[in-house]
Amino acid sequence: MMRIYLTHCSKEKEPSLKGTDIAVTPDKLYTNLEIQEFMKRCQEKKVNWGVLSDLYGIYLSDECHVWYEKHPDTVTPQEEESVIQDFNDKLSSYAEIFFFVRPESFHSFYERVLNRTLLTDRVRLFQRIDCVK
């Protein structure tokens, strides 16, 4: 049974990448301590993982993107639909989608995506990093 672990993006990003065209994987882009701990745990456990991005949708661990600034408050309804469609497309092969919630930065946008995806019945929320197994 295929499983993936996700968390939501963070505003804290690698400052040296700002204003460049350098595309990197999510573990090189996001610098927030909790998201770094999540990504490190996933790498140690050798599990599939990714980040729910306000701009890119599902940003898988092996994908490369450039630095961006996008607050979830600025996501338009059309962009939200695009993120939901990306979620559906990229994650349809996973039977289990475990989503690491970081409560202090869990925006209502992420909750809407998780509730509106066609895959909502596969999503399980968790808040303890040791749930990544």
Side-chain angles (χ1 to χ4, degrees), residues 6-128:
L6 300 174
T7 194
H8 49 96
C9 60
S10 71
K11 67 181 178 182
E12 299 87 9
K13 298 178 186 72
E14 175 52 51
S16 67
L17 296 171
K18 187 175 183 177
T20 73
D21 290 329
I22 301 169
V24 295
T25 53
D27 59 315
K28 303 284 189 286
L29 180 63
Y30 300 109
T31 58
N32 170 277
L33 181 61
E34 280 189 299
I35 198 172
Q36 277 289 318
E37 289 173 351
F38 165 81
M39 294 183 291
K40 185 174 188 236
R41 173 80 178 196
C42 289
Q43 290 165 337
E44 288 170 355
K45 296 296 180 179
K46 298 181 178 12
V47 297
N48 295 314
W49 65 274
V51 175
L52 176 56
S53 162
D54 309 324
L55 180 64
Y56 296 123
I58 299 300
Y59 185 178
L60 296 171
S61 61
D62 61 349
E63 291 181 334
C64 292
H65 288 296
V66 298
W67 195 98
Y68 70 98
E69 193 162 2
K70 176 97 178 145
H71 190 280
D73 283 345
T74 68
V75 175
T76 67
Q78 295 83 4
E79 289 170 332
E80 185 170 317
E81 291 304 318
S82 178
V83 167
I84 292 168
Q85 188 60 55
D86 191 61
F87 191 106
N88 293 341
D89 293 346
K90 285 187 179 169
L91 303 180
S92 63
S93 64
Y94 292 96
E96 296 179 314
I97 302 166
F98 284 82
F99 197 94
F100 179 52
V101 174
R102 303 182 331 270
E104 68 288 339
S105 58
F106 187 70
H107 193 276
S108 58
F109 165 70
Y110 310 123
E111 187 171 16
R112 286 194 309 274
V113 171
L114 296 175
N115 287 331
R116 294 186 55 223
T117 173
L118 298 173
L119 310 174
T120 192
D121 60 329
R122 303 180 196 181
V123 176
R124 303 286 176 269
L125 304 181
F126 69 99
Q127 292 184 29
R128 290 189 13 246

